[in-house]
Amino acid sequence: VHVATSAQSVQVNVTRSGDLGDVAAVDFTTSSITALGSSSASGDSILTAFTASDFTTIAPSDGQMFSVGDWDYLIIANAQGSTDIYQGHSPSDWRMYQSITTLRVSAIDLMTFGNTIFLGIANSFDKNTGSTQVNSYIYTFDTNIKQFTKLQDIATSNASNVEFFTVPFSGETALGVVLTNYEFPPDVSTSQGPSLIYIFNTDYGVFVQHQALITTGAVSSTVFSVGDTTALAFGENNYYVDDTINLIDIPNNYSIISHVYYWDGSNFVLGGELLTNAVVDVQVATIGTRTLLIYADSATIDIYEVSFNGGVFSFLTYQTALT
């Protein structure tokens, strides 16, 4: 744990390593109030800035915040036990408000679509059964009771990330969700091994599987835009140890293809491939008119400038930084 002060705040960076079965509770105790959370999509660390409440966490893997009316809500996903929702008036008066039982949650995501707040939870492992074949969850926020209620389960295989997105589909703007599965090697005979694309069916009020994209050991994904095109990039990792994602001390010779897809109006279509090395996270950034795709592995951060033309992505090396 490293604590540094600046701008009248305290930053606490908690990083875990090794088997998440050996977790420990972490108490955040501070002196005044602002809670901001961010984490790696792989669920390896969480960086939280606080200036005044107490939050007890157990190997936190992700965090999100949102507001409804006069209330603010903080969601902390714990790799063991539960995903906890706190209610408060930032920057003070936080209280535990709801707890959702989860199974070694890797990541969570929030999106408001229409008047509905959706919460996606990527579960990766059931310690009681020893299985990575566990359901991930979709919840919606009930504004009447001010709590999340489960909308549906989605079968996943060691899910490593969840991300909502919107795309044009059948003449309307559709809500979709990608659930990234870390299965190595992938089992193409099932719908659980590949990374899954679900589209929200407004007639039935649930997400329906739309595609299963072949990925190998996908640990991260990001949806982004290149001009008017919606793109989906996966960070893939073939360093596979004992049915878990081992992101510590990855050797430098684990080269693997990471895939980049584009939305053609009805489906995600493969538009490009990048040779990567056991990726732990993938993100996107925009600088002016440039779209930058960023891959992080255990040794480097590789940044590519992305362009798209005629159904094909081009990747120009922009920068490489040692980590």
Side-chain angles (χ1 to χ4, degrees), residues 70-274:
D70 295 331
W71 292 102
D72 297 317
Y73 296 87
L74 169 65
I75 307 173
I76 297 178
N78 295 296
Q80 294 290 340
S82 63
T83 293
D84 299 327
I85 297 101
Y86 295 83
Q87 185 191 62
H89 289 106
S90 292
S92 63
D93 301 328
W94 291 96
R95 66 187 180 100
M96 173 74 81
Y97 191 71
Q98 184 180 2
S99 185
I100 299 171
T101 300
T102 46
L103 301 170
R104 193 177 284 184
V105 57
S106 298
I108 61 175
D109 195 33
L110 279 172
M111 176 171 277
T112 300
F113 185 74
N115 296 318
T116 303
I117 298 172
F118 291 86
L119 168 64
I121 298 175
N123 289 316
S124 65
F125 181 73
D126 187 337
K127 188 174 183 179
N128 293 325
T129 64
S131 176
T132 58
Q133 305 294 316
V134 295
N135 289 332
S136 293
Y137 309 142
I138 304 292
Y139 279 75
T140 57
F141 190 78
D142 188 322
T143 55
N144 293 319
I145 63 174
K146 300 294 190 297
Q147 287 196 344
F148 283 101
T149 59
K150 184 184 283 189
L151 177 68
Q152 69 186 99
D153 294 328
I154 296 178
T156 50
S157 176
N158 205 352
S160 56
N161 197 38
V162 56
E163 184 175 3
F164 292 106
F165 60 89
T166 57
V167 286
F169 183 63
S170 298
E172 300 179 349
T173 298
L175 173 66
V177 63
V178 54
L179 281 152
T180 304
N181 286 289
Y182 182 82
E183 183 174 11
F184 180 76
D187 181 0
V188 298
S189 66
T190 73
S191 62
Q192 294 179 325
S195 293
L196 306 175
I197 304 296
Y198 277 70
I199 299 293
F200 187 69
N201 187 305
T202 55
D203 292 332
Y204 296 102
V206 295
F207 287 87
V208 177
Q209 185 172 328
H210 185 71
Q211 284 182 274
L213 303 177
I214 302 301
T215 53
T216 300
V219 297
S220 182
S221 62
T222 185
V223 179
F224 62 102
S225 296
V226 182
D228 295 329
T229 300
T230 298
L232 168 60
F234 291 98
E236 301 178 45
N237 185 322
N238 55 346
Y239 191 58
Y240 189 71
V241 179
D242 297 332
D243 293 331
T244 62
I245 305 172
N246 189 330
L247 303 180
I248 307 302
D249 297 327
I250 298 173
N252 292 325
N253 59 344
Y254 279 80
S255 297
I256 189 171
I257 295 295
S258 289
H259 299 85
V260 185
Y261 291 81
Y262 69 92
W263 183 258
D264 71 352
S266 57
N267 291 289
F268 279 107
V269 179
L270 183 62
E273 298 177 336
L274 274 165

Side-chain angles (χ1 to χ4, degrees), residues 52-71:
S53 283
D54 297 344
F55 297 88
T56 298
T57 61
I58 306 176
S61 58
D62 206 351
Q64 296 279 346
M65 288 190 72
F66 68 102
S67 298
V68 175
D70 295 331
W71 292 102

